[in-house]
Amino acid sequence: MGRDGGDKKQETMAVMSLMKDQQNPIQQFQIKFKEIETGFKSWLSKQKLPVEAAVVTAMGGVQGAFIGGLMGTLSPEMPQAGIDPQAMASLKQTQALVGGPLVQARNFAAITGVNAGIACVMKRIRGKEDLESAVVAAFGSGVAYSLVSAGLQGQPMNAITTAAGFALFQGVFFKLGERFSKPSVEDPYYTRGRSMLLKLGLEKYEKNFKKGLLADPTLPLLTDSALRDVSIPPGPRLLILDHIQRDPELKGKRGSRG
């Protein structure tokens, strides 16, 4: 009996190793990145509001600085010859407003960092992401942009006007996105199964689970024949059944029902 169990374990490990070897390296990286991202978000959500807001703001600022610096680097040089002097003066004024890589990195860092931080605080306080939160975050990022671009010497009215423009555009984009994009809502009945398949690198078989109505409550009851009925190949079936056998909670439910 023990020998049979050992042989089965070795067979499962061999199949798992073969499956990993056959996986696309890009797919493996995506799965690993998704696991790290999920773990980080889970850790961040458990922190106090000031800590979460500070981390989110810093991350947003770094991302914005990178994008701004890249845009400033790729901006073409203005042609000098063949342009009307008045038009050239206007172009130079525009370039001074936009600035080079460092200026754009600073401006974008302020915009994205403040926007992300305020949105994080609003979501934690209000418990949802909606139009009001998006508008408030955009207004704050507009004020931040005015402060870093014009300094404290800038006119307060200009800062308010800029912030109002940011808020207006954000509100319009939010409503357009809400109208034309349908958010993908994860089915709560398949959360545990989806997590299991993702961990095993078998997420492409999630549609098979849904097709066979193999929801989370059925996981402790899964058998080889049940998985075969939803067209899952032998290798992945072995991995799924072995995972269920090793999971203490699922194994306990299977034993109690048996």
Side-chain angles (χ1 to χ4, degrees), residues 137-198:
F139 187 90
S141 64
V143 172
Y145 169 74
S146 296
L147 289 176
V148 299
S149 60
L152 296 177
Q153 294 79 19
Q155 295 293 330
M157 199 62 197
N158 290 340
I160 295 176
T161 303
T162 301
F166 272 58
L168 177 62
F169 279 115
Q170 181 66 31
V172 171
F173 288 139
F174 186 91
K175 295 302 290 185
L176 287 175
E178 198 177 52
R179 181 173 181 178
F180 292 106
S181 66
K182 187 177 180 181
S184 57
V185 180
E186 291 189 350
D187 195 331
Y189 293 105
Y190 296 90
T191 303
R192 187 74 181 269
R194 183 183 303 109
S195 176
M196 175 187 68
L197 293 173
L198 181 64

Side-chain angles (χ1 to χ4, degrees), residues 34-56:
K34 187 69 175 178
E35 290 178 353
I36 295 174
E37 182 184 27
T38 302
F40 177 76
K41 287 182 177 179
S42 176
W43 171 82
L44 193 60
S45 64
K46 298 175 183 176
Q47 306 306 309
K48 293 183 178 180
L49 178 57
V51 175
E52 183 182 8
V55 173
V56 171

Side-chain angles (χ1 to χ4, degrees), residues 67-254:
I67 295 173
L70 184 62
M71 290 179 63
T73 303
L74 298 178
S75 297
E77 294 289 334
M78 288 192 307
Q80 301 292 326
I83 297 183
D84 182 76
Q86 188 175 358
M88 175 61 72
S90 178
L91 285 172
K92 286 185 177 180
Q93 185 178 6
T94 302
Q95 188 184 48
L97 178 63
V98 175
L102 292 179
V103 175
Q104 291 202 41
R106 179 200 65 189
N107 293 345
F108 273 82
I111 293 171
T112 57
V114 173
N115 189 290
I118 295 178
C120 170
V121 172
M122 294 291 290
K123 182 179 179 181
R124 178 72 77 92
I125 294 175
R126 306 181 75 239
K128 58 181 178 178
E129 295 179 353
D130 55 7
L131 177 62
E132 287 78 6
S133 297
V135 168
V136 170
F139 187 90
S141 64
V143 172
Y145 169 74
S146 296
L147 289 176
V148 299
S149 60
L152 296 177
Q153 294 79 19
Q155 295 293 330
M157 199 62 197
N158 290 340
I160 295 176
T161 303
T162 301
F166 272 58
L168 177 62
F169 279 115
Q170 181 66 31
V172 171
F173 288 139
F174 186 91
K175 295 302 290 185
L176 287 175
E178 198 177 52
R179 181 173 181 178
F180 292 106
S181 66
K182 187 177 180 181
S184 57
V185 180
E186 291 189 350
D187 195 331
Y189 293 105
Y190 296 90
T191 303
R192 187 74 181 269
R194 183 183 303 109
S195 176
M196 175 187 68
L197 293 173
L198 181 64
K199 187 178 297 184
L200 296 174
L202 304 174
E203 61 273 13
K204 66 180 180 180
Y205 295 111
E206 181 181 347
K207 62 180 183 297
N208 300 67
F209 270 62
K210 290 183 177 180
K211 182 179 178 181
L213 301 180
L214 300 178
D216 290 349
T218 69
L219 293 182
L221 306 174
L222 284 183
T223 61
D224 185 77
S225 61
L227 294 173
R228 185 170 60 248
D229 288 343
V230 294
S231 304
I232 296 180
R237 293 203 303 265
L238 285 172
L239 295 178
I240 292 170
L241 294 174
D242 180 70
H243 178 85
I244 293 174
Q245 183 65 24
R246 292 171 180 274
D247 189 298
E249 184 178 350
L250 294 177
K251 185 178 179 182
K253 290 181 179 179
R254 171 176 283 190

